[in-house]
Amino acid sequence: MPPVPVSPVITSLSSLPDFDPRLVPVVGVDAHLPAVRAQAQTPEALRRRFAAPPVWQPEVVQEKSFSNRSPAHAAVLVPIVLRDQPTVLLTERTAHLSTHSGQVAFPGGRADPEDADAAATALREAREEVGLDARFVEVLGALPTYVTGSSFLISPVVALVQPGCVLHPNPYEVAEIFEVPLAFLLDPAHHQRHVFEWQGVRREWFSMPYQEGAKSHYIWGATAGMLRNFYRFMQA
């Protein structure tokens, strides 16, 4: 998915009253691509990977813009929880929020002028949204900037999180906190491709649906795009 030209006239899919990404047909699944080896997912291997990054290219860089406002810097935390089998911590946004309500997201948000860098933004937002104390977090590094259709320039900050932390979700922003096995997300057999055309504009995105007992978590859009880039980084 190469970068696309910015346009101020494209409607946001999430603003369409009857749009449900779960109902958009799957046009492909990347089961032919190799999964990231389990040996590469250990804390030590992750630290080495970020300390000496490989030469690689992100696959998803910029969504088709539906906003004509000035770009805004933001950051999200990609929290890898150090369980026996590492997991990635994600949130489901509350239904009343004005943007991306009910969607799966990383903890994160807009940068404040007082933030020293993207990591500071991600850590501050993670504390505000889910109560994650920075004492339990080891920042590894950041993936390339991801530009959303709403003109946010997002820095995904990858970090290791000690499992002993106690989380307190902000009920205004977060409806649910859940974890997905890192191995699941780093296996392209779980990466589905979608194509949708609206107002003559073709949109493409990934989804990574995850079933946890009776609960289905639908990971798609920017969150899935950043995870796809993480897969490319780890597999390079």
Side-chain angles (χ1 to χ4, degrees), residues 88-213:
V88 174
L89 186 149
L90 291 160
T91 70
E92 183 178 308
R93 293 166 62 83
T94 52
H96 69 270
L97 292 175
S98 59
T99 58
H100 309 297
S101 60
Q103 293 189 16
V104 170
F106 296 114
R110 186 191 297 261
D112 282 351
E114 297 79 15
D115 294 335
D117 51 24
T121 298
L123 291 171
R124 174 182 55 76
E125 287 283 340
R127 185 178 185 104
E128 293 174 2
E129 288 186 15
V130 300
L132 178 57
D133 194 309
R135 294 177 301 139
F136 295 94
V137 182
E138 176 189 345
V139 172
L140 297 179
L143 298 173
T145 300
Y146 183 100
V147 183
T148 70
S150 52
S151 297
F152 278 104
L153 282 61
I154 301 179
S155 295
V157 177
V158 182
L160 304 180
V161 176
Q162 296 298 322
C165 63
V166 179
L167 302 178
H168 301 283
N170 179 341
Y172 179 79
E173 297 185 65
V174 178
E176 183 180 358
I177 301 172
F178 63 98
E179 297 177 25
V180 179
L182 179 61
F184 177 93
L185 298 170
L186 295 182
D187 184 348
H190 303 131
H191 298 184
Q192 301 180 346
R193 295 177 178 270
H194 302 262
V195 174
F196 184 80
E197 188 166 317
W198 175 253
Q199 296 179 329
V201 178
R202 178 185 172 94
R203 329 273 190 114
E204 300 180 36
W205 66 84
F206 286 100
S207 73
M208 303 167 187
Y210 177 67
Q211 193 72 29
E212 183 182 27

